[in-house]
């Protein structure tokens, strides 16, 4: 399997408000940067969208290290997802899962791959996380 590193970030100016995301995909010496935005969204939606957009770039099963500063995304994919699916997309408190459609996309896009979900502290000098943050902010500025 090909090995791919993915770095993602998303954010908003106001929450909700105008938002953007940035992704970096790295395979060997090849690097691809992607950014996008939405005039009315939330931080969590942009964090999830970044991961979705990045995973959509993969055309075959890969070994992936996906690094994000979103604990929401990492915990959702590594801790909460199985319970949500088992409980019919309800939380432990029997409430509907927020952003269910996006979680389902992430689940579907993740299945063909072997993914290690890695959390890093945001705005803490991690070079790729800082670049993804910059891409997200550029996307917001372009709205």
């Amino acid at each position: 399997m090909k090995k791919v590193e993915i770095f993602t970030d998303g954010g908003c100016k106001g929450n909700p408000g105008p938002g953007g995301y940035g992704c970096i995909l790295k395979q060997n010496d090849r690097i691809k940067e992607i950014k996008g935005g939405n005039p009315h969204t939330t931080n969590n939606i942009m964090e999830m969208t970044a991961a979705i957009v990045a995973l959509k770039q993969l055309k075959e099963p890969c070994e992936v290290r996906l690094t994000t500063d979103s604990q929401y995304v990492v915990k959702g994919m590594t801790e909460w997802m199985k319970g949500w699916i088992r409980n019919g997309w309800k939380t432990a408190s029997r409430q509907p899962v927020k952003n269910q459609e996006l979680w389902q996309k992430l689940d579907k896009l993740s299945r063909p791959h072997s993914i290690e979900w890695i959390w890093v502290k945001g705005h803490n000098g991690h070079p790729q996380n800082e670049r993804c943050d910059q891409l997200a902010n550029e996307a917001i500025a372009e709205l």
Side-chain angles (χ1 to χ4, degrees), residues 4-11 20-26 32-35 43-58 64-74 77 106 115-123 126-136:
V4 179
E5 286 186 276
I6 295 175
F7 305 91
T8 66
D9 192 28
Y21 65 84
C23 331
I24 300 171
L25 289 91
K26 184 177 177 193
K32 181 174 188 173
E33 295 185 343
I34 306 168
K35 65 182 174 183
N43 286 340
N44 285 339
I45 289 171
M46 288 293 93
E47 296 280 9
M48 295 172 76
T49 300
I52 288 166
V53 167
L55 289 171
K56 280 184 175 178
Q57 303 302 306
L58 305 178
V64 178
R65 284 176 49 98
L66 194 150
T67 303
T68 176
D69 63 8
S70 171
Q71 287 195 26
Y72 180 66
V73 169
V74 172
M77 294 305 294
L106 266 176
I115 302 180
E116 181 182 4
W117 297 89
I118 299 166
W119 177 80
V120 294
K121 186 172 173 53
H123 310 288
H126 185 284
Q128 292 88 353
N129 181 257
E130 296 292 341
R131 177 62 183 147
C132 288
D133 181 66
Q134 184 180 7
L135 290 167

